[in-house]
Structures are given as C-alpha cells and as structure tokens.
Amino acid sequence: MILRRTLMHTSTLFHKTMTSQVEQAKDAAALRAVREHVYDGCRLGVGSGSTVVYAVKHLAELVTTAGLNVTCVPTSFQARQLIIEHGLHLSDLSQTPELDVVIDGADECDPQLNLIKGGGGCQLQEKIVAACGKKMVVIADYRKKSQELGEQWKKGIPIEVVPMAYVPVMNKLRSYGLEPVLRMAQSKAGPVVTDNSNFVVDAKFTAPHNWELLETKLCRTPGVVETGLFVGFASVAYFGMKDGSVSVLHKPPV
Ligand SMILES: O=C[C@H](O)[C@H](O)[C@H](O)COP(=O)(O)O
C-alpha cells in the first residue's frame, strides 16, 4: 500500500514537472517572439492554441508598458476572445487585409519550417491570416521541433472538410495512401465542428512526403476546404527548450 502510494506520488510529481517545463518553454518562445517582432504601428495576425495564450499576455504587457499601437487580427474564436480579454485593438481582414507579422503556434515544425497545424482545428483561418502576413513567426515548445514531419506529431494532417463530403473525401485520402480519421468531439456527441462549421479529418501518414505536392493534391480534392500543412509560410520559428533557452530556426534560403 505504502509502496503504491509512493509510486503514485512520484508519477504525479514527474507529470507536474513535465507540464511546467512544457509551459515554461511555451512562455519563453512566446516572449522572445513578441519582443523581437512586434513594434509600434504593427498589424499583427494572432494565431490560436495554448502557446499563443502566452504571446497575447506578453503582447498586452508590451502594449501597455511601451505604449505601442498594435492592430490585432485573430485566426479563430479563441484568438478573438484573447484579444478582447486583454484589451487589445481588434480588427479583421476586411479592415486590415495586409499584416506585418503573424505569430502562431504549430504542432510540428521541420528544419525547412514546413509545419503541421490544426491540432486545435483552426487551420483554415490560420492559413488565410498567414497568407496575408509579410512574415509568419512560429512559437512552440521543444516537443514540436523535428527533423521530419510525422516524427513528433502522430495524429496526422488536420484536413478541414465540408460536412456533406466527409465520406468521399476520406475515401480519396485512403487512395492517396493516407489513413483518415474523422475527429470526434470530447464534450459533444459527434464530430468536431470548426469555427467555419466544417468537420476535421486527421490524415495519418507512415512515410515522409513531398509536402508541397501532397498539399496541392489535398487542396484539389473536392470537399477539402483547407489543410493544416503549411509549406513555405513560416519565416522563423522560436522553440522554448527544456533548459529554459530558446532555439531560433530561420527558413533556409531556397
Ligand atoms: O488549430 C490549432 C493551431 O494550429 C495551433 O496553433 C496548434 O495546434 C498548436 O497549438 P499549441 O500551441 O496548443 O500546441
């Protein structure tokens, strides 16, 4: 009994330490990116996910302390709420269609800065906003840094799909050698529904691909609205590391 309790305590402690290490890494990456890329007059795309929460916190501090004028365009309902909660200047793409910087998280990032995004189902608006930015800055913790996509992120490529087309799209994905899974909601019966009222299919892959070709093929599939594969978008990535440092990766010259 005592041994069991001690083991449970040790495992809880280990889990807590791991969690705080990951959260500190996210925080460190977000802080560095905000400090190095946000400036007075900046039109900023605000990404989605748990790492972006830290970025918005640091952004709000910077805006207040340095008196910066920053216009924020969200990539999701979550991002919009964060901008409002922090009292930041909210805009949208109809008023601010050109952005100077977009700061966003990633589920995985390879050395060429190809990304898998959409773990939180926000890929469509994230890609639209990223495409409006002069520069996309990625913020992530050490678990997201990999040599090859698929090495760290095992859930596959998030693909946003028009609901009535999910079965034919999944069949097509199988014919491409992918293993599609319809993403199911956690606190709702049935599938996840995105901010744009679509479904998400996670397409698992076993071998590395030519990501650009795969992306084109996926986007040409009727019923596919957008994918979480971001090829050629990111300019720089900040990874918070286990030791508290931040590793910076620039897009290699073509
Ligand atoms: O759909 C969600 C987004 O693409 C996120 O940016 C991505 O999933 C990374 O999220 P997190 O910072 O929570 O790891």
Side-chain angles (χ1 to χ4, degrees):
M1 187 66 173
I2 293 175
L3 178 65
R4 209 173 130 207
R5 272 205 199 132
T6 314
L7 281 176
M8 275 173 69
H9 181 65
T10 314
S11 127
T12 312
L13 258 183
F14 176 72
H15 182 70
K16 276 191 182 158
T17 313
M18 280 293 292
T19 308
S20 74
Q21 205 170 40
V22 169
E23 294 308 311
Q24 280 165 19
K26 291 178 187 182
D27 193 13
L31 176 62
R32 182 91 180 261
V34 167
R35 280 197 182 151
E36 292 187 6
H37 294 279
V38 178
Y39 53 87
D40 192 31
C42 185
R43 295 162 300 175
L44 180 71
V46 177
S48 309
S50 57
T51 317
V52 165
V53 173
Y54 292 104
V56 175
K57 182 189 84 175
H58 292 303
L59 174 66
E61 282 163 8
L62 186 69
V63 163
T64 309
T65 53
L68 302 188
N69 173 24
V70 178
T71 302
C72 299
V73 172
T75 54
S76 61
F77 178 87
Q78 179 220 9
R80 186 174 185 277
Q81 293 304 101
L82 281 173
I83 294 165
I84 293 170
E85 280 164 19
H86 286 81
L88 293 160
H89 175 204
L90 175 70
S91 188
D92 59 28
L93 289 180
S94 53
Q95 296 176 87
T96 314
E98 286 175 22
L99 302 170
D100 300 299
V101 186
V102 176
I103 298 182
D104 204 345
D107 299 303
E108 191 169 16
C109 177
D110 76 8
Q112 285 71 46
L113 303 196
N114 296 316
L115 312 172
I116 293 181
K117 290 182 50 54
C122 304
Q123 57 286 327
L124 172 58
Q125 292 187 35
E126 287 181 334
K127 201 178 274 185
I128 294 170
V129 170
C132 295
K134 291 182 189 152
K135 179 166 61 178
M136 180 186 187
V137 176
V138 175
I139 49 173
D141 62 79
Y142 51 89
R143 301 169 305 167
K144 315 296 183 64
K145 192 178 185 189
S146 79
Q147 284 308 308
E148 189 71 70
L149 295 183
E151 186 184 286
Q152 302 285 355
W153 182 253
K154 304 290 183 194
K155 296 181 184 170
I157 301 163
I159 301 178
E160 188 152 346
V161 176
V162 172
M164 58 82 81
Y166 88 95
V167 172
V169 166
M170 285 173 79
N171 287 341
K172 273 281 181 203
L173 297 178
R174 284 187 199 100
S175 78
Y176 303 159
L178 302 167
E179 286 172 49
V181 177
L182 180 65
R183 194 184 294 181
M184 301 308 281
Q186 297 292 329
S187 303
K188 162 196 171 281
V192 163
V193 178
T194 68
D195 287 357
N196 322 289
S197 307
N198 294 313
F199 289 171
V200 179
V201 170
D202 291 298
K204 294 187 187 176
F205 51 91
T206 41
H209 286 262
N210 176 324
W211 303 116
E212 199 168 350
L213 280 183
L214 179 62
E215 162 69 347
T216 308
K217 196 169 168 179
L218 292 172
C219 287
R220 281 192 183 154
T221 305
V224 168
V225 181
E226 193 46 271
T227 85
L229 253 184
F230 282 54
V231 180
F233 278 87
S235 308
V236 58
Y238 290 77
F239 299 97
M241 304 308 285
K242 275 187 183 168
D243 63 3
S245 66
V246 176
S247 157
V248 186
L249 213 57
H250 291 271
K251 185 176 180 172
V254 206

mmCIF file of all heavy atoms in Angstrom, residues 202-237:
data_model
loop_
_atom_site.group_PDB
_atom_site.id
_atom_site.type_symbol
_atom_site.label_atom_id
_atom_site.label_comp_id
_atom_site.label_asym_id
_atom_site.label_seq_id
_atom_site.Cartn_x
_atom_site.Cartn_y
_atom_site.Cartn_z
ATOM 1 N N ASP A 202 -8.367 13.873 -39.633
ATOM 2 C CA ASP A 202 -6.919 13.789 -39.405
ATOM 3 C C ASP A 202 -6.370 12.678 -40.280
ATOM 4 O O ASP A 202 -6.773 11.519 -40.146
ATOM 5 C CB ASP A 202 -6.637 13.518 -37.930
ATOM 6 C CG ASP A 202 -6.996 14.717 -37.061
ATOM 7 O OD1 ASP A 202 -6.383 15.782 -37.248
ATOM 8 O OD2 ASP A 202 -7.910 14.591 -36.215
ATOM 9 N N ALA A 203 -5.469 13.046 -41.189
ATOM 10 C CA ALA A 203 -4.939 12.072 -42.149
ATOM 11 C C ALA A 203 -3.548 11.623 -41.718
ATOM 12 O O ALA A 203 -2.567 12.362 -41.855
ATOM 13 C CB ALA A 203 -4.901 12.692 -43.538
ATOM 14 N N LYS A 204 -3.496 10.393 -41.192
ATOM 15 C CA LYS A 204 -2.199 9.860 -40.743
ATOM 16 C C LYS A 204 -1.400 9.394 -41.945
ATOM 17 O O LYS A 204 -1.973 8.935 -42.939
ATOM 18 C CB LYS A 204 -2.415 8.682 -39.795
ATOM 19 C CG LYS A 204 -3.058 9.089 -38.502
ATOM 20 C CD LYS A 204 -3.086 7.912 -37.550
ATOM 21 C CE LYS A 204 -3.902 8.294 -36.323
ATOM 22 N NZ LYS A 204 -4.060 7.204 -35.389
ATOM 23 N N PHE A 205 -0.085 9.528 -41.834
ATOM 24 C CA PHE A 205 0.790 9.060 -42.912
ATOM 25 C C PHE A 205 1.926 8.260 -42.290
ATOM 26 O O PHE A 205 2.290 8.493 -41.143
ATOM 27 C CB PHE A 205 1.327 10.238 -43.735
ATOM 28 C CG PHE A 205 1.955 11.321 -42.889
ATOM 29 C CD1 PHE A 205 3.318 11.294 -42.601
ATOM 30 C CD2 PHE A 205 1.183 12.353 -42.381
ATOM 31 C CE1 PHE A 205 3.893 12.285 -41.819
ATOM 32 C CE2 PHE A 205 1.745 13.350 -41.591
ATOM 33 C CZ PHE A 205 3.103 13.313 -41.312
ATOM 34 N N THR A 206 2.471 7.332 -43.059
ATOM 35 C CA THR A 206 3.530 6.498 -42.487
ATOM 36 C C THR A 206 4.919 6.955 -42.935
ATOM 37 O O THR A 206 5.860 6.971 -42.156
ATOM 38 C CB THR A 206 3.328 5.013 -42.872
ATOM 39 O OG1 THR A 206 2.911 4.965 -44.234
ATOM 40 C CG2 THR A 206 2.291 4.361 -41.997
ATOM 41 N N ALA A 207 5.019 7.381 -44.210
ATOM 42 C CA ALA A 207 6.343 7.786 -44.719
ATOM 43 C C ALA A 207 6.356 9.280 -45.004
ATOM 44 O O ALA A 207 5.298 9.877 -45.206
ATOM 45 C CB ALA A 207 6.626 7.018 -45.999
ATOM 46 N N PRO A 208 7.564 9.896 -45.028
ATOM 47 C CA PRO A 208 7.644 11.307 -45.407
ATOM 48 C C PRO A 208 7.167 11.519 -46.844
ATOM 49 O O PRO A 208 7.243 10.608 -47.658
ATOM 50 C CB PRO A 208 9.133 11.628 -45.295
ATOM 51 C CG PRO A 208 9.777 10.483 -44.650
ATOM 52 C CD PRO A 208 8.852 9.321 -44.708
ATOM 53 N N HIS A 209 6.673 12.696 -47.123
ATOM 54 C CA HIS A 209 6.148 13.010 -48.451
ATOM 55 C C HIS A 209 6.865 14.238 -49.005
ATOM 56 O O HIS A 209 7.551 14.947 -48.276
ATOM 57 C CB HIS A 209 4.662 13.369 -48.351
ATOM 58 C CG HIS A 209 3.774 12.188 -48.108
ATOM 59 N ND1 HIS A 209 3.102 11.560 -49.121
ATOM 60 C CD2 HIS A 209 3.448 11.525 -46.975
ATOM 61 C CE1 HIS A 209 2.390 10.563 -48.615
ATOM 62 N NE2 HIS A 209 2.586 10.522 -47.325
ATOM 63 N N ASN A 210 6.654 14.486 -50.289
ATOM 64 C CA ASN A 210 6.958 15.803 -50.825
ATOM 65 C C ASN A 210 5.779 16.656 -50.363
ATOM 66 O O ASN A 210 4.670 16.552 -50.896
ATOM 67 C CB ASN A 210 7.042 15.749 -52.354
ATOM 68 C CG ASN A 210 7.266 17.125 -52.952
ATOM 69 O OD1 ASN A 210 6.749 18.127 -52.462
ATOM 70 N ND2 ASN A 210 8.036 17.175 -54.024
ATOM 71 N N TRP A 211 5.999 17.472 -49.327
ATOM 72 C CA TRP A 211 4.882 18.134 -48.634
ATOM 73 C C TRP A 211 4.136 19.095 -49.546
ATOM 74 O O TRP A 211 2.922 19.235 -49.467
ATOM 75 C CB TRP A 211 5.376 18.835 -47.367
ATOM 76 C CG TRP A 211 6.064 17.872 -46.446
ATOM 77 C CD1 TRP A 211 7.374 17.890 -46.069
ATOM 78 C CD2 TRP A 211 5.489 16.712 -45.813
ATOM 79 N NE1 TRP A 211 7.647 16.830 -45.243
ATOM 80 C CE2 TRP A 211 6.512 16.089 -45.072
ATOM 81 C CE3 TRP A 211 4.223 16.143 -45.813
ATOM 82 C CZ2 TRP A 211 6.301 14.927 -44.328
ATOM 83 C CZ3 TRP A 211 4.008 14.981 -45.074
ATOM 84 C CH2 TRP A 211 5.036 14.385 -44.343
ATOM 85 N N GLU A 212 4.885 19.747 -50.433
ATOM 86 C CA GLU A 212 4.245 20.716 -51.322
ATOM 87 C C GLU A 212 3.283 20.003 -52.283
ATOM 88 O O GLU A 212 2.155 20.438 -52.489
ATOM 89 C CB GLU A 212 5.321 21.478 -52.099
ATOM 90 C CG GLU A 212 4.781 22.749 -52.665
ATOM 91 C CD GLU A 212 5.874 23.660 -53.186
ATOM 92 O OE1 GLU A 212 7.077 23.384 -52.939
ATOM 93 O OE2 GLU A 212 5.515 24.634 -53.858
ATOM 94 N N LEU A 213 3.754 18.872 -52.837
ATOM 95 C CA LEU A 213 2.909 18.104 -53.761
ATOM 96 C C LEU A 213 1.680 17.546 -53.059
ATOM 97 O O LEU A 213 0.573 17.591 -53.585
ATOM 98 C CB LEU A 213 3.703 16.937 -54.371
ATOM 99 C CG LEU A 213 4.632 17.276 -55.522
ATOM 100 C CD1 LEU A 213 5.291 16.004 -56.050
ATOM 101 C CD2 LEU A 213 3.841 17.969 -56.640
ATOM 102 N N LEU A 214 1.921 17.037 -51.849
ATOM 103 C CA LEU A 214 0.806 16.465 -51.095
ATOM 104 C C LEU A 214 -0.239 17.542 -50.786
ATOM 105 O O LEU A 214 -1.444 17.331 -50.929
ATOM 106 C CB LEU A 214 1.312 15.821 -49.798
ATOM 107 C CG LEU A 214 0.228 15.205 -48.912
ATOM 108 C CD1 LEU A 214 -0.496 14.067 -49.621
ATOM 109 C CD2 LEU A 214 0.818 14.696 -47.597
ATOM 110 N N GLU A 215 0.267 18.696 -50.412
ATOM 111 C CA GLU A 215 -0.623 19.822 -50.082
ATOM 112 C C GLU A 215 -1.490 20.200 -51.296
ATOM 113 O O GLU A 215 -2.703 20.384 -51.179
ATOM 114 C CB GLU A 215 0.258 20.994 -49.613
ATOM 115 C CG GLU A 215 -0.337 22.368 -49.603
ATOM 116 C CD GLU A 215 -1.404 22.558 -48.548
ATOM 117 O OE1 GLU A 215 -1.858 21.567 -47.972
ATOM 118 O OE2 GLU A 215 -1.814 23.706 -48.357
ATOM 119 N N THR A 216 -0.846 20.265 -52.469
ATOM 120 C CA THR A 216 -1.577 20.614 -53.697
ATOM 121 C C THR A 216 -2.640 19.553 -53.981
ATOM 122 O O THR A 216 -3.784 19.874 -54.290
ATOM 123 C CB THR A 216 -0.584 20.694 -54.890
ATOM 124 O OG1 THR A 216 0.469 21.568 -54.489
ATOM 125 C CG2 THR A 216 -1.226 21.223 -56.142
ATOM 126 N N LYS A 217 -2.235 18.285 -53.856
ATOM 127 C CA LYS A 217 -3.160 17.182 -54.121
ATOM 128 C C LYS A 217 -4.361 17.233 -53.173
ATOM 129 O O LYS A 217 -5.512 17.085 -53.593
ATOM 130 C CB LYS A 217 -2.382 15.877 -53.903
ATOM 131 C CG LYS A 217 -3.016 14.648 -54.481
ATOM 132 C CD LYS A 217 -1.951 13.563 -54.390
ATOM 133 C CE LYS A 217 -2.465 12.198 -54.643
ATOM 134 N NZ LYS A 217 -1.404 11.191 -54.566
ATOM 135 N N LEU A 218 -4.089 17.473 -51.911
ATOM 136 C CA LEU A 218 -5.167 17.517 -50.919
ATOM 137 C C LEU A 218 -6.133 18.664 -51.221
ATOM 138 O O LEU A 218 -7.340 18.494 -51.202
ATOM 139 C CB LEU A 218 -4.588 17.679 -49.503
ATOM 140 C CG LEU A 218 -3.796 16.492 -48.954
ATOM 141 C CD1 LEU A 218 -3.125 16.861 -47.635
ATOM 142 C CD2 LEU A 218 -4.691 15.278 -48.766
ATOM 143 N N CYS A 219 -5.552 19.830 -51.520
ATOM 144 C CA CYS A 219 -6.400 21.013 -51.752
ATOM 145 C C CYS A 219 -7.199 20.897 -53.043
ATOM 146 O O CYS A 219 -8.202 21.587 -53.202
ATOM 147 C CB CYS A 219 -5.557 22.286 -51.749
ATOM 148 S SG CYS A 219 -5.034 22.691 -50.082
ATOM 149 N N ARG A 220 -6.761 20.025 -53.956
ATOM 150 C CA ARG A 220 -7.504 19.837 -55.209
ATOM 151 C C ARG A 220 -8.607 18.799 -55.064
ATOM 152 O O ARG A 220 -9.304 18.493 -56.030
ATOM 153 C CB ARG A 220 -6.547 19.414 -56.317
ATOM 154 C CG ARG A 220 -5.780 20.587 -56.862
ATOM 155 C CD ARG A 220 -5.088 20.187 -58.135
ATOM 156 N NE ARG A 220 -4.278 21.268 -58.647
ATOM 157 C CZ ARG A 220 -3.234 21.123 -59.409
ATOM 158 N NH1 ARG A 220 -2.856 19.903 -59.769
ATOM 159 N NH2 ARG A 220 -2.561 22.157 -59.839
ATOM 160 N N THR A 221 -8.731 18.219 -53.879
ATOM 161 C CA THR A 221 -9.748 17.196 -53.656
ATOM 162 C C THR A 221 -11.073 17.885 -53.325
ATOM 163 O O THR A 221 -11.160 18.596 -52.317
ATOM 164 C CB THR A 221 -9.315 16.277 -52.489
ATOM 165 O OG1 THR A 221 -8.017 15.757 -52.793
ATOM 166 C CG2 THR A 221 -10.285 15.131 -52.285
ATOM 167 N N PRO A 222 -12.099 17.705 -54.146
ATOM 168 C CA PRO A 222 -13.375 18.362 -53.860
ATOM 169 C C PRO A 222 -13.897 17.983 -52.478
ATOM 170 O O PRO A 222 -13.889 16.808 -52.108
ATOM 171 C CB PRO A 222 -14.299 17.842 -54.975
ATOM 172 C CG PRO A 222 -13.368 17.497 -56.086
ATOM 173 C CD PRO A 222 -12.133 16.964 -55.420
ATOM 174 N N GLY A 223 -14.299 18.998 -51.737
ATOM 175 C CA GLY A 223 -14.787 18.769 -50.369
ATOM 176 C C GLY A 223 -13.760 19.197 -49.335
ATOM 177 O O GLY A 223 -14.097 19.494 -48.191
ATOM 178 N N VAL A 224 -12.477 19.235 -49.750
ATOM 179 C CA VAL A 224 -11.438 19.713 -48.831
ATOM 180 C C VAL A 224 -11.440 21.239 -48.876
ATOM 181 O O VAL A 224 -11.335 21.840 -49.947
ATOM 182 C CB VAL A 224 -10.036 19.168 -49.215
ATOM 183 C CG1 VAL A 224 -8.931 19.883 -48.441
ATOM 184 C CG2 VAL A 224 -9.973 17.664 -48.964
ATOM 185 N N VAL A 225 -11.564 21.847 -47.717
ATOM 186 C CA VAL A 225 -11.575 23.312 -47.646
ATOM 187 C C VAL A 225 -10.149 23.828 -47.454
ATOM 188 O O VAL A 225 -9.723 24.772 -48.099
ATOM 189 C CB VAL A 225 -12.462 23.790 -46.465
ATOM 190 C CG1 VAL A 225 -12.510 25.306 -46.402
ATOM 191 C CG2 VAL A 225 -13.866 23.226 -46.592
ATOM 192 N N GLU A 226 -9.413 23.191 -46.550
ATOM 193 C CA GLU A 226 -8.029 23.613 -46.270
ATOM 194 C C GLU A 226 -7.330 22.511 -45.488
ATOM 195 O O GLU A 226 -7.993 21.622 -44.948
ATOM 196 C CB GLU A 226 -8.053 24.934 -45.470
ATOM 197 C CG GLU A 226 -6.738 25.658 -45.376
ATOM 198 C CD GLU A 226 -6.008 25.762 -46.707
ATOM 199 O OE1 GLU A 226 -5.224 24.820 -46.998
ATOM 200 O OE2 GLU A 226 -6.202 26.733 -47.444
ATOM 201 N N THR A 227 -6.019 22.567 -45.468
ATOM 202 C CA THR A 227 -5.276 21.571 -44.688
ATOM 203 C C THR A 227 -4.368 22.262 -43.665
ATOM 204 O O THR A 227 -4.056 23.446 -43.804
ATOM 205 C CB THR A 227 -4.375 20.678 -45.575
ATOM 206 O OG1 THR A 227 -3.128 21.359 -45.766
ATOM 207 C CG2 THR A 227 -5.011 20.378 -46.917
ATOM 208 N N GLY A 228 -3.938 21.496 -42.704
ATOM 209 C CA GLY A 228 -3.024 22.015 -41.691
ATOM 210 C C GLY A 228 -1.565 21.880 -42.090
ATOM 211 O O GLY A 228 -0.675 22.061 -41.259
ATOM 212 N N LEU A 229 -1.315 21.553 -43.361
ATOM 213 C CA LEU A 229 0.072 21.526 -43.852
ATOM 214 C C LEU A 229 0.412 22.942 -44.300
ATOM 215 O O LEU A 229 -0.225 23.471 -45.214
ATOM 216 C CB LEU A 229 0.171 20.618 -45.064
ATOM 217 C CG LEU A 229 0.845 19.271 -44.962
ATOM 218 C CD1 LEU A 229 0.910 18.609 -46.327
ATOM 219 C CD2 LEU A 229 2.220 19.321 -44.321
ATOM 220 N N PHE A 230 1.405 23.537 -43.684
ATOM 221 C CA PHE A 230 1.829 24.897 -44.044
ATOM 222 C C PHE A 230 3.218 24.794 -44.680
ATOM 223 O O PHE A 230 4.210 24.617 -43.980
ATOM 224 C CB PHE A 230 1.887 25.792 -42.803
ATOM 225 C CG PHE A 230 0.549 26.284 -42.312
ATOM 226 C CD1 PHE A 230 -0.484 25.398 -42.023
ATOM 227 C CD2 PHE A 230 0.322 27.642 -42.110
ATOM 228 C CE1 PHE A 230 -1.715 25.861 -41.557
ATOM 229 C CE2 PHE A 230 -0.902 28.110 -41.651
ATOM 230 C CZ PHE A 230 -1.919 27.219 -41.374
ATOM 231 N N VAL A 231 3.252 24.868 -45.989
ATOM 232 C CA VAL A 231 4.533 24.745 -46.711
ATOM 233 C C VAL A 231 4.901 26.119 -47.256
ATOM 234 O O VAL A 231 4.130 26.715 -48.015
ATOM 235 C CB VAL A 231 4.413 23.722 -47.861
ATOM 236 C CG1 VAL A 231 5.726 23.573 -48.617
ATOM 237 C CG2 VAL A 231 3.944 22.370 -47.332
ATOM 238 N N GLY A 232 6.081 26.616 -46.841
ATOM 239 C CA GLY A 232 6.555 27.900 -47.355
ATOM 240 C C GLY A 232 5.925 29.117 -46.691
ATOM 241 O O GLY A 232 6.039 30.227 -47.211
ATOM 242 N N PHE A 233 5.285 28.944 -45.576
ATOM 243 C CA PHE A 233 4.663 30.088 -44.891
ATOM 244 C C PHE A 233 5.588 30.727 -43.859
ATOM 245 O O PHE A 233 5.716 31.942 -43.810
ATOM 246 C CB PHE A 233 3.375 29.638 -44.184
ATOM 247 C CG PHE A 233 2.184 29.571 -45.094
ATOM 248 C CD1 PHE A 233 1.908 28.424 -45.819
ATOM 249 C CD2 PHE A 233 1.335 30.657 -45.241
ATOM 250 C CE1 PHE A 233 0.804 28.353 -46.666
ATOM 251 C CE2 PHE A 233 0.230 30.608 -46.087
ATOM 252 C CZ PHE A 233 -0.026 29.445 -46.805
ATOM 253 N N ALA A 234 6.185 29.899 -43.016
ATOM 254 C CA ALA A 234 6.919 30.441 -41.859
ATOM 255 C C ALA A 234 8.278 31.008 -42.254
ATOM 256 O O ALA A 234 8.985 30.466 -43.113
ATOM 257 C CB ALA A 234 7.093 29.349 -40.819
ATOM 258 N N SER A 235 8.649 32.120 -41.629
ATOM 259 C CA SER A 235 9.968 32.729 -41.863
ATOM 260 C C SER A 235 10.934 32.354 -40.762
ATOM 261 O O SER A 235 12.139 32.234 -40.980
ATOM 262 C CB SER A 235 9.856 34.258 -41.859
ATOM 263 O OG SER A 235 8.866 34.686 -42.719
ATOM 264 N N VAL A 236 10.418 32.242 -39.555
ATOM 265 C CA VAL A 236 11.287 31.956 -38.414
ATOM 266 C C VAL A 236 10.480 31.213 -37.350
ATOM 267 O O VAL A 236 9.264 31.408 -37.243
ATOM 268 C CB VAL A 236 11.905 33.290 -37.870
ATOM 269 C CG1 VAL A 236 10.845 34.283 -37.455
ATOM 270 C CG2 VAL A 236 12.870 33.053 -36.718
ATOM 271 N N ALA A 237 11.164 30.336 -36.611
ATOM 272 C CA ALA A 237 10.486 29.597 -35.538
ATOM 273 C C ALA A 237 11.276 29.729 -34.241
ATOM 274 O O ALA A 237 12.514 29.653 -34.237
ATOM 275 C CB ALA A 237 10.353 28.117 -35.913
#
